[in-house]
């Protein structure tokens, strides 16, 4: 345990907790927001003592040398004396040269800043709200060597305090304060001959525009650059015309506008930018991959890409959590907002953990079985979905899904099948078909009286598997980074009772079986002579 002295107050730390957590637990009020070392709202000055980095650091080396640190990202090594610096002492004054509403919910700000330090395209700058002292990071679309001013793009979040302040209260010639640049979503001259794959949703495009311009104009990039920008509607692709012009100007730049909504005009790809990028590229090739957008999009896409064996150093990410918009200066009783995650057989399920409340609502599995019987009854009668189950009996489909969900909801270890990416690797499933299936499933949940809050939690869980299932062509099966042939049979031992797909005989638990890796068809010992090896 260490002692923290702050404004004549004392906090005693617990093992491995951050300085911010210790202050809040001891009812010491300090400003904070993101809690992960990104927004820099909680920046402090170390007057005496030593700290150890726990999470990734976003402060510049110059700031660290001067004794500044982020209490949400460090733990104490010794007793500490700390203080909160005046933001004006560590910030830069920026004059708003231009404010443009590009789309109803996207604003472009151009800032003039004297003596601003050199930055890399793709980094972000935290903006300070003088009324609250809070900061929010916004990615730079400008390039240090090419642009006299800084440029950022801001998406308006309905009800969000910070973006509403920018949209409604900031005007040209007004002055604001910003903090130095941070972030690692940057281009390196070492990538000059490599292919770049850039994936963005919404204003996640902002830093990637800077990366593209810096790569092409400053470093004369020689490899191909593939940019996928996605939104629900065409108006969400707010730099569409500019990107089309850039694509004409540079032979190695390829721009793919993606629409995930129902109306997809000619010239646009139908689907999510994240899914389309993964489908269209052989990721085992040597790409530098950049992903920028909301937290869940970035997390899901990076996880899907890792399954192809892409090296971690080739994946560059920047994410934005819209929940920051709803936070304000903390109170001593403000609840901690740690991001829940749960590792299920190597899959990281964000904001989810074994849920006894949901399992209890399912009457410890009895109701789950009835729900699955209702749902798969509809699936096997549905002309759009039944085709995927031609070689699997309805009883086996129910058994596998029950075992899969039971393990997720309870933390048990009864499921021995394949995870969604490999289980669906041969199925061509569009976003529209995925949504169609989800609507049918939600209908079954409501038929059995589950509350809307539990239904939403369940559907949010399914949504995390979308990027592992939706695609426009079959994927290879990948296990531990190795591509496996899928048109083959394997032998196994039945983990539960099931039916033979040939003679329909009941197979007992513990019997030897043979099954097809792609189709999932199961054969009992009496029927194995009818199948290949």
């Amino acid at each position: 345990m260490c002692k923290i002295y702050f404004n004549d107050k004392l906090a005693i730390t617990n093992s491995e907790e951050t300085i911010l957590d210790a202050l809040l637990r001891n009812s010491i009020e300090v400003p904070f927001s993101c809690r992960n070392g990104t927004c820099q709202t909680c920046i402090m000055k170390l007057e005496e003592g030593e700290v150890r980095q726990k999470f990734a650091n976003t402060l510049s080396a110059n700031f660290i040398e001067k004794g500044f640190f982020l209490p949400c990202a460090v733990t104490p090594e010794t007793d500490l004396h700390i203080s909160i610096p005046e933001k004006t002492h560590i910030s830069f004054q920026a004059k708003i040269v231009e404010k443009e509403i590009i789309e109803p919910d996207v604003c472009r700000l151009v800032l003039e800043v004297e003596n601003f330090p050199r930055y890399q395209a793709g980094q972000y700058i935290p903006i300070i709200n003088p009324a609250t002292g809070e900061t929010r990071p916004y990615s730079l679309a400008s390039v240090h060597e090419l642009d006299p001013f800084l440029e950022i793009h801001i998406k308006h979040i309905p009800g969000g305090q910070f973006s509403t302040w920018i949209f409604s209260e900031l005007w040209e010639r007004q002055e604001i304060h910003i903090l130095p640049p941070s972030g690692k979503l940057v281009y390196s001259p070492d990538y000059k001959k490599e292919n770049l794959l850039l994936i963005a949703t919404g204003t996640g495009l902002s830093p990637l525009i800077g990366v593209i311009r810096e790569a092409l104009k400053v470093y004369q990039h020689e490899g191909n650059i593939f940019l996928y920008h996605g939104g629900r509607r065409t108006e969400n692709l707010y730099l569409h015309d500019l990107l089309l012009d850039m694509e004409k100007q540079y032979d190695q730049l390829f721009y793919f506008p993606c629409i995930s909504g129902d109306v997809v005009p000619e010239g646009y790809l139908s689907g999510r930018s994240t899914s389309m990028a993964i489908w269209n590229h052989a990721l085992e090739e040597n790409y530098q991959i950049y992903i920028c957008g909301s937290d869940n999009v970035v997390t899901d896409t990076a996880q899907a890409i890792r399954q192809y064996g892409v090296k971690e150093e080739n994946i560059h990410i920047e994410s934005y959590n819209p929940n920051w918009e709803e936070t304000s200066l903390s109170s001593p009783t403000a609840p901690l907002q740690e991001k829940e995650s749960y590792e299920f057989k190597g899959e990281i399920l964000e904001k989810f953990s074994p849920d006894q409340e949901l399992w209890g609502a399912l009457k410890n599995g009895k109701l789950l079985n009835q729900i699955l019987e209702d749902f798969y009854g509809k699936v096997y009668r549905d002309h759009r979905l039944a085709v995927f189950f031609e070689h699997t009996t309805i009883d086996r489909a129910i058994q596998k899904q029950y075992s899969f969900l039971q393990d997720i909801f309870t933390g048990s270890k009864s499921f021995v099948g394949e995870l969604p990416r490999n289980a669906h690797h041969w199925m061509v499933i569009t976003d529209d078909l995925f949504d169609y299936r989800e609507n049918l499933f939600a209908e079954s949940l409501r038929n059995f009286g589950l509350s809307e809050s539990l239904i939403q939690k369940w559907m949010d869980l399914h949504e995390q598997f979308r990027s592992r299932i939706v695609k426009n062509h079959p994927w290879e099966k990948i296990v531990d980074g190795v591509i496996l042939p899928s048109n083959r049979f394997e032998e196994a031992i039945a983990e539960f009772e099931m039916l033979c797909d040939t003679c329909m005989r009941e197979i007992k638990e513990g019997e030897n079986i043979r099954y097809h890796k792609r189709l999932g068809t199961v054969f009992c010992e009496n029927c194995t002579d009818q199948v290949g090896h």
Side-chain angles (χ1 to χ4, degrees):
M1 294 191 299
C2 295
K3 298 177 181 178
I4 302 175
Y5 297 93
F6 169 72
N7 285 357
D8 298 325
K9 296 178 181 179
L10 173 64
I12 306 297
T13 65
N14 289 332
S15 176
E16 290 302 308
E17 74 177 338
T18 65
I19 293 173
L20 176 61
D21 287 342
L23 293 171
L24 296 178
R25 185 176 51 77
N26 284 272
S27 299
I28 297 176
E29 184 173 349
V30 292
F32 72 91
S33 186
C34 73
R35 299 181 68 94
N36 63 18
T38 301
C39 75
Q40 301 185 16
T41 293
C42 64
I43 189 169
M44 286 186 164
K45 178 75 179 294
L46 185 63
E47 306 292 351
E48 184 179 326
E50 296 180 3
V51 297
R52 176 171 57 86
Q53 205 68 37
K54 184 174 183 180
F55 303 122
N57 180 52
T58 61
L59 288 180
S60 67
N62 183 45
F63 264 43
I64 294 173
E65 289 173 3
K66 293 179 179 179
F68 297 107
F69 70 98
L70 299 177
C72 68
V74 302
T75 58
E77 287 278 82
T78 65
D79 291 347
L80 306 177
H81 289 263
I82 60 177
S83 63
I84 294 181
E86 289 288 336
K87 289 286 174 65
T88 54
H89 294 168
I90 58 175
S91 64
F92 294 84
Q93 189 167 283
K95 182 179 180 180
I96 300 175
V97 176
E98 185 178 353
K99 177 182 179 181
E100 177 187 8
I101 304 299
I102 306 176
E103 293 295 339
D105 63 346
V106 178
C107 170
R108 171 177 169 267
L109 281 187
V110 179
L111 306 173
E112 181 181 20
V113 188
E114 292 186 4
N115 301 317
F116 195 67
R118 189 190 186 285
Y119 63 91
Q120 290 182 267
Q123 289 190 299
Y124 60 81
I125 53 170
I127 293 180
I128 303 171
N129 183 335
T132 64
E134 286 185 285
T135 65
R136 290 290 182 275
Y138 291 102
S139 295
L140 290 160
S142 49
V143 178
H144 182 84
E145 291 82 357
L146 303 176
D147 304 312
F149 305 124
L150 305 181
E151 179 177 328
I152 57 176
H153 305 158
I154 299 104
K155 178 179 176 59
H156 182 242
I157 306 297
Q161 298 176 3
F162 211 95
S163 60
T164 298
W165 167 66
I166 291 175
F167 268 68
S168 61
E169 298 185 32
L170 294 188
W171 305 102
E172 293 179 359
R173 296 186 294 278
Q174 193 171 341
E175 293 183 342
I176 58 176
H177 282 84
I178 64 175
L179 294 176
S182 299
K184 299 179 180 179
L185 189 79
V186 297
Y187 177 82
S188 168
D190 294 339
Y191 306 154
K192 184 173 182 176
K193 297 182 182 297
E194 297 184 40
N195 292 334
L196 308 184
L197 177 59
L198 285 65
I199 309 169
T201 58
T203 51
L205 176 66
S206 178
L208 301 189
I209 282 289
V211 168
I212 292 172
R213 294 177 64 231
E214 184 179 68
L216 293 172
K217 294 187 176 184
V218 178
Y219 295 107
Q220 289 75 51
H221 184 80
E222 296 177 10
N224 290 326
I225 300 177
F226 303 94
L227 171 64
Y228 289 78
H229 185 211
R232 291 285 298 170
R233 299 174 294 277
T234 55
E235 56 264 32
N236 299 139
L237 307 187
Y238 62 96
L239 294 183
H240 181 65
D241 293 338
L242 171 65
L243 290 170
L244 288 176
D245 290 340
M246 290 180 65
E247 186 180 32
K248 294 176 183 177
Q249 184 179 357
Y250 296 98
D251 291 338
Q252 67 267 53
L253 177 61
F254 301 88
Y255 166 52
F256 300 92
C258 305
I259 300 296
S260 59
D262 296 331
V263 180
V264 183
E266 185 177 353
Y268 294 79
L269 297 181
S270 176
R272 297 172 181 240
S273 59
T274 51
S275 300
M276 301 305 293
I278 293 173
W279 290 337
N280 292 342
H281 294 270
L283 296 182
E284 64 271 14
E285 295 179 4
N286 191 22
Y287 284 93
Q288 294 295 331
I289 303 174
Y290 293 75
I291 315 167
C292 192
S294 61
D295 268 353
N296 62 328
V297 169
V298 170
T299 300
D300 283 353
T301 306
Q303 177 68 12
I305 287 172
R306 290 185 185 104
Q307 294 187 33
Y308 285 87
V310 176
K311 296 177 182 178
E312 197 65 35
E313 59 264 30
N314 287 24
I315 303 174
H316 313 272
I317 62 175
E318 196 76 85
S319 62
Y320 171 68
N321 184 350
N323 290 331
W324 297 349
E325 286 285 355
E326 307 307 323
T327 62
S328 58
L329 288 177
S330 70
S331 67
T333 57
L336 302 184
Q337 307 213 349
E338 296 281 341
K339 188 176 185 180
E340 275 190 19
S341 64
Y342 170 49
E343 183 172 350
F344 175 72
K345 296 182 180 293
E347 293 272 5
I348 303 299
L349 305 180
E350 299 293 347
K351 299 182 181 178
F352 192 88
S353 59
D355 193 322
Q356 292 301 322
E357 178 190 6
L358 183 50
W359 190 244
L362 294 172
K363 298 180 180 178
N364 296 322
K366 182 178 180 180
L367 191 59
L368 173 59
N369 198 65
Q370 295 174 15
I371 290 171
L372 294 177
E373 288 177 350
D374 179 76
F375 169 66
Y376 280 104
K378 290 183 289 189
V379 166
Y380 274 71
R381 295 190 300 270
D382 189 280
H383 72 282
R384 298 183 66 182
L385 299 175
V387 64
F388 297 107
F389 296 88
E390 288 180 346
H391 301 282
T392 303
T393 66
I394 188 171
D395 287 340
R396 185 156 186 269
I398 291 170
Q399 287 174 335
K400 289 176 65 177
Q401 188 69 1
Y402 180 98
S403 179
F404 176 72
L405 291 171
Q406 180 186 28
D407 278 16
I408 289 181
F409 291 157
T410 68
S412 62
K413 301 182 183 299
S414 63
F415 179 68
V416 295
E418 294 176 318
L419 295 175
R421 192 237 176 246
N422 277 348
H424 298 80
H425 76 100
W426 61 277
M427 303 180 188
V428 177
I429 298 175
T430 64
D431 275 302
D432 177 66
L433 188 59
F434 186 92
D435 292 338
Y436 179 77
R437 186 262 189 203
E438 292 299 274
N439 289 334
L440 278 183
F441 196 86
E443 181 182 284
S444 290
L445 297 181
R446 292 187 177 93
N447 288 345
F448 287 87
L450 260 66
S451 69
E452 287 301 315
S453 62
L454 291 181
I455 290 174
Q456 187 59 53
K457 183 180 293 187
W458 199 328
M459 304 312 288
D460 288 344
L461 170 67
H462 284 190
E463 186 64 28
Q464 296 195 47
F465 294 109
R466 181 188 289 267
S467 62
R468 284 78 148 171
I469 294 174
V470 171
K471 52 193 171 296
N472 63 1
H473 61 79
W475 288 339
E476 296 287 355
K477 181 175 291 187
I478 300 175
V479 177
D480 295 329
V482 178
I483 298 177
L484 299 180
S486 55
N487 277 322
R488 62 189 176 96
F489 294 90
E490 283 197 357
E491 294 181 351
I493 296 176
E495 299 285 342
F496 45 81
E497 291 184 356
M498 59 185 69
L499 295 178
C500 174
D501 288 314
T502 298
C503 69
M504 302 307 291
R505 179 179 74 80
E506 183 177 325
I507 299 173
K508 299 294 186 181
E509 181 180 347
E511 281 191 43
N512 293 323
I513 60 172
R514 185 181 293 275
Y515 68 98
H516 193 278
K517 291 291 290 181
R518 177 174 69 83
L519 300 177
T521 46
V522 173
F523 303 88
C524 68
E525 292 179 293
N526 297 334
C527 297
T528 53
D529 291 339
Q530 302 179 32
V531 300
H533 294 269

